């Protein structure tokens, strides 16, 4: 028998067994979403709190795009040509360090970016970047003007 103040594991029947473990990974996360440029114009809001099931940028985007499908078209590149612009400097033959791109379908369109706590998602873990309660996700698609 446990003494007062000691923690003991409850019997499996009380915790729900393996089913409880499966739902434990479906926890909700609330992040602050900040919008700029075209995204702000589209949603008519600069900042809002968003709660979703899961804890990755991918889970956040899946739910957000389900609710606001126009954002997926604004932010996510469907092909390599959508993700790059002809004005980018050519890539050198040999790059220093380790370089990798997000896979097609997980890249933003040219000039649009998704940031987590001020860091580009592609510099973190792409769409698999972990999100924690209170993190900031910025959806950036600036206005571009040309003369």
């Amino acid at each position: 028998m446990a003494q007062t103040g000691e923690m003991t594991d409850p019997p499996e029947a009380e915790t729900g067994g393996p089913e409880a473990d499966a739902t434990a990974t479906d926890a909700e996360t609330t992040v602050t979403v900040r919008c700029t440029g075209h995204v702000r114009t589209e949603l008519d809001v600069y900042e809002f709190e968003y709660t979703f099931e899961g804890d990755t940028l991918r889970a956040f985007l899946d739910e957000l795009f389900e609710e606001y499908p126009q954002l997926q078209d604004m932010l996510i590149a469907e092909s390599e040509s959508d993700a790059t612009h002809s004005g980018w400097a050519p890539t050198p033959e040999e790059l220093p360090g380790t370089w990798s791109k997000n896979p097609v379908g997980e890249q933003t369109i040219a000039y649009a970016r998704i940031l987590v706590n001020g860091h580009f998602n592609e510099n973190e873990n792409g769409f698999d970047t972990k999100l924690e309660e209170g993190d900031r996700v910025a959806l950036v698609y600036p206005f571009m003007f040309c003369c």
Side-chain angles (χ1 to χ4, degrees), residues 43-64:
L43 295 181
D44 196 28
V45 65
Y46 161 73
E47 183 177 287
F48 61 97
E49 300 292 310
Y50 193 82
T51 301
F52 64 98
E53 286 192 27
D55 64 353
T56 63
L57 183 60
R58 181 182 315 280
F60 163 78
L61 291 172
D62 285 347
E63 283 195 32
L64 187 73

Side-chain angles (χ1 to χ4, degrees), residues 8-145:
T8 60
D9 292 330
E12 191 166 288
E14 290 179 25
T15 63
E19 291 173 7
D21 292 338
T23 57
T25 59
D26 294 333
E28 288 188 337
T29 305
T30 300
V31 296
T32 299
V33 181
R34 294 187 177 157
C35 308
T36 66
H38 295 292
V39 177
R40 181 177 181 175
T41 300
E42 182 66 34
L43 295 181
D44 196 28
V45 65
Y46 161 73
E47 183 177 287
F48 61 97
E49 300 292 310
Y50 193 82
T51 301
F52 64 98
E53 286 192 27
D55 64 353
T56 63
L57 183 60
R58 181 182 315 280
F60 163 78
L61 291 172
D62 285 347
E63 283 195 32
L64 187 73
F65 292 158
E66 192 172 306
E67 191 169 339
Y68 303 101
Q70 69 275 24
L71 292 183
Q72 184 167 0
D73 295 335
M74 291 180 97
L75 296 170
I76 304 302
E78 295 297 323
S79 68
E80 188 66 33
S81 63
D82 291 341
T84 58
H85 187 273
S86 61
W88 293 119
T91 305
E93 288 293 321
E94 204 167 309
L95 297 170
T98 303
W99 290 66
S100 62
K101 288 183 78 169
N102 288 341
V104 173
E106 294 187 19
Q107 298 175 19
T108 55
I109 64 169
Y111 304 117
R113 291 291 175 266
I114 299 171
L115 294 90
V116 176
N117 296 323
H119 299 272
F120 294 130
N121 80 80
E122 50 272 295
N123 292 340
E124 297 299 319
N125 200 17
F127 284 5
D128 294 322
T129 300
K130 291 286 185 191
L131 296 177
E132 296 179 3
E133 197 74 20
D135 278 352
R136 296 177 328 272
V137 177
L139 307 176
V140 179
Y141 185 7
F143 296 109
M144 301 296 287
F145 297 99

